[in-house]
Amino acid sequence: MFKKQLLVFSVILSMFAPALSVANATSSFDPATIDKIRDEGMNRSQAMATMKYLSDVIGARLTNSPKQRLANKWTKEQLEKWGMKNAMIDPWGEFGRGWELKRYTSSVMAGDEFVAFRAYPKAWSPSTNGAITGDVVYVDATDEAGLEKYKGKLKGAIVWMTPAREVEPGFRPIASRVSNEELARLEAASVEDNLQQNRGRPAQAPPANAAAAQQFAQRKYRFYFEEGAAVLVEPSNGTDSGTIRVMGATPAPQAPNATPQPGPGGFGGMRVYSKGAAPTIPQLVAETEQYNRIYRLLRAGTPVKMTVDLQVEFYEDDLQGYNTIAEIPGTDLADEVVMIGGHLDSWHSGNGSTDNGAGVTVAMEAMRILAASGVKPRRTIRVGLWTGEEQGLLGSRGYVAKNFGELEPPTPGVPAAQRKVIKKPAYDKFSAYYNLDNGTGQIRGINMQGNENLRPIFREWFGPFNDIGASTVSVNSVGGTDHLAFDGIGLPGFQFIQDPIEYFGRTWHTTQDVADRTLEEDLKRSAVIMAAFAYNTAMMDTKLPRKPEPGMAGIASLLPNFDLLALTDEAAFRNLGFGYQICGHDIHRNELPDGFPSIFALSRSVHDHSDHAE
């Protein structure tokens, strides 16, 4: 355990090491070309046509599902129609099984009242093999003795997994834009401020009984399998008023004290989508208010029965994951590369419009704008539309490892922070990657990922867009999305600052992630800004300045066989008190999706966390 703690400490130290001074790069800025880019993007935009095709025609794009594969094909063909070269559907490594929902209904009989039950299956849940009806049971147990009274009583039951979740009135509007005060805080942040991490939400030691509580929660979960429960049901986390937040099913539990098994992407333990994963129990996420009512009825002694009919299909014909790649070839510096992108995959209960159809739309539209404007970039401009992001940045990590580099294997006795990057030839030819993954809101600035040397360059590039409120340049380092695949091995990778609109409160990973919740003007503006940043980077006399080469921090995500979860205590890592982000959204450590390692979500940023206080 002491060695594990030292390892985690070295990870944190290397993540927060301040950037060293590097030579200033020379910016080549051409206002006339930026005006041409802005005219094309604002007056002849195809952004909403792209968004609606992705969202309405293709729909949800769960990694390795038939719809995600269709999205790969369509985006490649569309980019080719717009004049992109070297377009390809590019394999990044093994992911696992695809999954598709074929049929689902559920209802409840509460006493003699019929209730159409509003819930949604978790991804990679198995079928129920036809309609099943069972008693609804809440297992009210806090220790092994409490479980004893439920032995022999859960076979075929529908299990309510948690107590009721509190619902509060929505006095504050869900939708918002970043305030001027918040933008000023972001602009004023320093590298030293980043070390303080959770301003307004100080780190706290976990309760003394936290480990015991977690162990019992795992024991309780195994108990449901041992007793033959038919379906597991939980309330939507962080949403109410009919919106349901749904992600992946929890895999079948391992036996106590079992040695963690390697899984796809280097994760410890078998993932629910892995080939050969043990069957799990069908799992539903319910509308919070309906879940709460049934919970109260059970506590009051009212008998409740539930009928669930869930039919799904798993796909194992091709376990590989694929990204869509295309480019505009450069001229005199064509062997050097600038990249833009976002993740093509989504969760399955909505249509993946704001997470991350918006990012894909903006990146594709930026490429179209550049091609239609007739620009001749010095460096090659390449777009990457990633898959497997929702399961741990898998597609971008695989692409970076295959094309640019990865960390050298662990060596006994060598501190993690001293491990070097094994570079591929393209490593030194790479200039920058720009990512969009914060929903539909327009770009308001950019996070420099701790590289203060970039401030004068980025500030100049935002000059033409100050009139639309895009000007903030922050030293912040943010986590949980695909720019980390590049930043992790010392390549410049950036996530833009965006207006949140209603990303977390309504659309992030929910049934309401649909095209109606996207804003055309915001998408158009973001596409213009992304196109301008890509073009400006491609036209510089030198590549963007880089931070010092990293050690293990952020880079462990690139190791295809690195079993981070087996090497460190994940529960302890989550409780260190640092901030976390997934798909650009600040979350509490307890909101991390099952299987998404904490280190990939870790962020160090300075802003107001009051909306997500503990």
Side-chain angles (χ1 to χ4, degrees):
M1 178 58 72
F2 182 68
K3 289 182 178 179
K4 291 182 180 180
Q5 290 171 338
L6 282 178
L7 175 61
V8 172
F9 185 64
S10 68
V11 170
I12 301 305
L13 283 180
S14 57
M15 290 192 80
F16 298 131
L20 299 179
S21 177
V22 296
N24 287 332
T26 302
S27 173
S28 179
F29 181 67
D30 178 11
T33 301
I34 301 304
D35 288 344
K36 184 185 294 186
I37 287 171
R38 184 164 179 169
D39 174 66
E40 176 64 31
M42 298 307 295
N43 296 317
R44 288 171 291 281
S45 175
Q46 295 186 36
M48 283 309 288
T50 298
M51 166 60 71
K52 289 179 180 177
Y53 195 93
L54 274 173
S55 298
D56 294 342
V57 179
I58 295 177
R61 303 170 301 280
L62 187 72
T63 299
N64 272 17
S65 69
K67 291 291 190 178
Q68 183 255 290
R69 296 288 171 82
L70 178 61
N72 275 136
K73 180 176 182 292
W74 181 78
T75 51
K76 172 184 177 290
E77 293 173 350
Q78 191 65 29
L79 289 164
E80 287 175 323
K81 288 179 183 177
W82 290 336
M84 306 307 127
K85 306 301 181 184
N86 303 318
M88 66 181 77
I89 298 173
D90 187 39
W92 51 258
E94 182 175 314
F95 171 77
R97 302 179 296 171
W99 180 91
E100 189 175 35
L101 181 62
K102 294 295 187 178
R103 183 181 70 240
Y104 165 69
T105 59
S106 62
S107 61
V108 163
M109 287 297 298
D112 60 357
E113 179 188 7
F114 173 85
V115 179
F117 196 74
R118 295 183 291 277
Y120 211 90
K122 288 186 176 183
W124 293 286
S125 283
S127 299
T128 56
N129 299 317
I132 61 170
T133 300
D135 293 328
V136 177
V137 179
Y138 170 63
V139 178
D140 187 10
T142 58
D143 54 27
E144 195 68 36
L147 292 178
E148 283 293 327
K149 63 182 179 181
Y150 294 98
K151 283 193 172 181
K153 298 180 181 179
L154 295 185
K155 187 170 182 59
I158 315 294
V159 175
W160 250 230
M161 294 185 67
T162 72
R165 189 177 71 79
E166 185 177 358
V167 175
E168 297 180 351
F171 290 115
R172 289 184 295 178
I174 291 177
S176 66
R177 294 196 182 272
V178 185
S179 68
N180 291 335
E181 293 76 16
E182 172 71 354
L183 290 172
R185 276 193 294 270
L186 293 170
E187 182 83 33
S190 68
V191 173
E192 289 73 23
D193 289 331
N194 273 237
L195 296 175
Q196 298 174 11
Q197 183 60 250
N198 276 342
R199 177 173 294 177
R201 197 173 67 179
Q204 297 178 355
N209 62 349
Q214 183 183 43
Q215 289 177 357
F216 182 71
Q218 294 171 350
R219 168 68 186 108
K220 200 172 181 180
Y221 186 63
R222 287 197 304 273
F223 183 76
Y224 302 147
F225 281 76
E226 294 166 358
E227 294 297 310
V231 179
L232 305 179
V233 186
E234 62 187 76
S236 178
N237 181 31
T239 64
D240 51 37
S241 301
T243 298
I244 306 172
R245 176 164 290 135
V246 191
M247 290 179 271
T250 302
Q254 294 183 323
N257 304 316
T259 301
Q261 299 298 310
F267 294 162
M270 191 73 75
R271 300 300 161 195
V272 69
Y273 46 77
S274 300
K275 180 182 179 180
T280 190
I281 297 174
Q283 296 166 36
L284 309 178
V285 182
E287 178 190 279
T288 298
E289 292 85 349
Q290 276 207 316
Y291 183 96
N292 287 356
R293 185 197 175 203
I294 299 304
Y295 172 83
R296 292 191 295 268
L297 289 173
L298 293 173
R299 301 292 283 178
T302 301
V304 179
K305 287 188 177 291
M306 185 173 185
T307 299
V308 178
D309 184 3
L310 173 60
Q311 181 181 338
V312 307
E313 186 167 349
F314 286 86
Y315 298 89
E316 298 189 5
D317 54 316
D318 186 354
L319 301 178
Q320 292 293 301
Y322 297 88
N323 301 316
T324 301
I325 307 293
E327 61 189 26
I328 299 172
T331 54
D332 63 310
L333 297 174
D335 60 337
E336 297 186 6
V337 176
V338 177
M339 291 194 71
I340 61 175
H343 69 88
L344 186 58
D345 65 303
S346 75
W347 288 110
H348 57 296
S349 64
N351 293 333
S353 301
T354 68
D355 187 17
N356 188 28
V360 170
T361 292
V362 166
M364 289 180 67
E365 176 68 2
M367 294 296 282
R368 187 203 67 79
I369 290 169
L370 292 169
S373 299
V375 301
K376 302 296 181 184
R378 300 179 67 190
R379 292 177 180 82
T380 295
I381 299 177
R382 184 180 300 161
V383 64
L385 307 178
W386 319 112
T387 62
E389 190 272 354
E390 297 290 4
Q391 289 75 46
L393 322 183
L394 300 179
S396 56
R397 288 162 50 202
Y399 179 85
V400 168
K402 182 169 72 170
N403 291 280
F404 300 113
E406 58 189 338
L407 196 66
E408 64 184 359
T411 302
V414 177
Q418 294 181 16
R419 291 164 64 191
K420 293 180 171 56
V421 176
I422 300 175
K423 300 176 183 177
K424 300 199 172 177
Y427 185 93
D428 291 324
K429 298 292 186 179
F430 187 86
S431 187
Y433 171 72
Y434 301 100
N435 192 72
L436 199 84
D437 188 15
N438 277 204
T440 190
Q442 80 154 72
I443 291 171
R444 303 296 301 278
I446 195 168
N447 297 296
M448 294 186 291
Q449 293 297 121
N451 190 350
E452 186 62 44
N453 298 282
L454 297 169
R455 190 179 296 272
I457 300 171
F458 287 166
R459 186 171 285 159
E460 179 184 32
W461 292 355
F462 271 122
F465 307 110
N466 289 177
D467 64 314
I468 57 173
S471 63
T472 300
V473 179
S474 175
V475 76
N476 275 355
S477 295
V478 294
T481 191
D482 293 298
H483 68 290
L484 288 184
F486 299 85
D487 184 65
I489 60 168
L491 296 175
F494 309 101
Q495 169 71 16
F496 287 105
I497 299 166
Q498 294 172 250
D499 281 326
I501 311 300
E502 51 188 7
Y503 187 45
F504 181 70
R506 193 182 299 278
T507 68
W508 181 68
H509 299 179
T510 77
T511 50
Q512 293 301 310
D513 190 3
V514 295
D516 304 82
R517 314 245 56 110
T518 60
L519 301 174
E520 181 175 12
E521 188 74 4
D522 287 49
L523 295 175
K524 289 163 63 176
R525 291 178 172 183
S526 293
V528 167
I529 294 170
M530 181 177 273
F533 266 66
Y535 177 76
N536 288 336
T537 308
M539 297 303 291
M540 294 176 69
D541 293 333
T542 60
K543 298 188 297 292
L544 282 187
R546 297 181 179 181
K547 297 184 290 187
E549 290 185 15
M552 172 183 164
I555 243 175
S557 59
L558 306 182
L559 298 171
N561 298 309
F562 184 64
D563 189 356
L564 182 66
L565 294 185
L567 198 60
T568 64
D569 185 339
E570 175 72 1
F573 194 83
R574 291 188 180 207
N575 288 326
L576 287 173
F578 297 107
Y580 298 94
Q581 293 180 325
I582 296 290
C583 296
H585 173 71
D586 293 311
I587 61 172
H588 186 277
R589 61 179 179 269
N590 294 332
E591 296 171 323
L592 284 170
D594 181 76
F596 200 116
S598 299
I599 194 170
F600 303 157
L602 191 66
S603 69
R604 47 205 192 279
S605 60
V606 176
H607 58 89
D608 184 4
H609 290 284
S610 59
D611 287 344
H612 311 295
E614 296 188 29

